Amino acid sequence: ARLEAKRDQKRIMSPKRQKDTFNTIKAVLNYAGEVGWLERNPFSSKALLDKLPRIETRSREQFTSEDLTALFSHPRFLGIRGTRDEAGTLKEGRFWVPLLRLFHGMRANEAASLLVCDVKKEDGIPFLWIRETDDGGNIVKGLKTQSSHRRIPIHSELVRIGFLNFVAEQRERSRDGFLFPEMTPNKQTGNRAKTFSQWFGRLVTKALGEDAVKFGKDFHSFRHAVTDCLRRSE
């Protein structure tokens, strides 16, 4: 910041980057307070947060029923089902993750990071356990927020399509315990959905055309659609 202040034409960070940087520093200072290095976190002041510029949000268009038909009937999507690696392990992450997102509104990395042991059954109801640990209590992945911890009953349509059969096979074959072992973590962020999200963007372009991405139709649109659907149903 001191170096930038010396420039004749100062460059200002975008509002989103300002807020992201603010939150990063705030998190570090929160930790400093927890371990006794600080009496209070100066970045916890709401007055300070209010000084940041507002982020202009762009409305995100949702997929129409015609869009969904085009996406999920596209050969690029359908051709994934049944693919296996050299060891015979099913590699269907790109098939199931969009469907998990469509029916449950899960975040991309939540779906991509599922463990085989995260698929459970209680009182005859199969569900997904969104958590950071495996059955042994070992932390093996991260979640975006504390409220992200939850149990999601698996949609009956996914059961009909064969999701539980896929899980049963992966339970026998998965080498690292992950439901979609082909979705490896990104080296910088650890996000297992990064490469998948890029692939899905290309699928949207192929199935719906360039304008679909331009107007905000992407993988996040599923999450917004599920939220709106639940809201309408109260």
Side-chain angles (χ1 to χ4, degrees):
R2 286 195 298 270
L3 289 172
E4 195 63 37
K6 295 177 182 178
R7 293 176 179 269
D8 292 331
Q9 294 182 325
K10 300 176 183 62
R11 297 171 300 176
I12 305 299
M13 288 192 295
S14 70
K16 183 180 184 307
R17 187 168 182 193
Q18 288 186 50
K19 187 169 184 180
D20 287 347
T21 303
F22 179 93
N23 287 333
T24 299
I25 298 171
K26 180 179 177 181
V28 172
L29 296 182
N30 273 341
Y31 174 77
E34 289 171 5
V35 298
W37 297 341
L38 285 178
E39 288 188 6
R40 60 176 295 277
N41 183 351
F43 272 55
S44 62
S45 165
K46 186 175 185 303
L48 187 60
L49 179 62
D50 288 343
K51 288 180 181 293
L52 292 175
R54 292 182 63 84
I55 300 173
E56 295 296 326
T57 56
R58 171 181 72 143
S59 61
R60 187 183 299 280
E61 286 195 19
Q62 294 182 12
F63 293 121
T64 65
S65 57
E66 291 79 11
D67 290 339
L68 295 176
T69 299
L71 277 171
F72 290 111
S73 63
H74 196 276
R76 190 183 180 93
F77 173 76
L78 294 177
I80 295 163
R81 195 165 192 194
T83 56
R84 298 175 182 267
D85 63 16
E86 293 178 356
T89 302
L90 282 168
K91 293 176 57 179
E92 293 188 2
R94 291 180 179 180
F95 178 81
W96 290 112
V97 168
L99 292 171
L100 288 167
R101 181 82 159 184
L102 172 67
F103 286 105
H104 298 141
M106 297 172 68
R107 294 183 178 93
N109 195 47
E110 287 176 346
S113 300
L114 281 170
L115 298 167
V116 175
C117 63
D118 289 335
V119 185
K120 296 188 177 296
K121 184 178 285 190
E122 186 173 313
D123 296 330
I125 300 172
F127 67 91
L128 302 172
W129 194 350
I130 311 303
R131 55 181 176 167
E132 295 171 308
T133 62
D134 58 18
D135 283 347
N138 305 300
I139 296 178
V140 293
K141 52 185 172 174
L143 293 180
K144 188 171 183 180
T145 65
Q146 278 300 309
S147 61
S148 299
H149 292 83
R150 61 201 190 280
R151 297 182 179 193
I152 308 173
I154 297 172
H155 198 285
S156 56
E157 187 65 13
L158 291 182
V159 176
R160 187 191 69 78
I161 294 170
F163 180 66
L164 295 182
N165 295 333
F166 166 75
V167 173
E169 185 154 350
Q170 292 297 77
R171 208 180 294 279
E172 299 294 325
R173 292 179 175 272
S174 178
R175 295 183 291 273
D176 57 4
F178 283 93
L179 190 57
F180 310 115
E182 73 273 21
M183 293 193 172
T184 53
N186 176 267
K187 289 182 179 178
Q188 283 75 38
T189 64
N191 189 314
R192 286 179 172 265
K194 186 171 180 60
T195 303
F196 161 78
S197 296
Q198 294 168 345
W199 171 86
F200 188 80
R202 293 192 292 272
L203 172 63
V204 171
T205 301
K206 290 275 188 185
L208 308 181
E210 296 283 350
D211 285 346
V213 177
K214 188 190 303 181
F215 291 112
K217 291 184 179 181
D218 57 20
F219 201 63
H220 296 287
S221 299
F222 287 132
R223 188 165 171 81
H224 292 277
V226 171
T227 302
D228 288 349
C229 185
L230 291 172
R231 229 180 243 127
R232 285 195 301 271
S233 301
E234 299 183 346

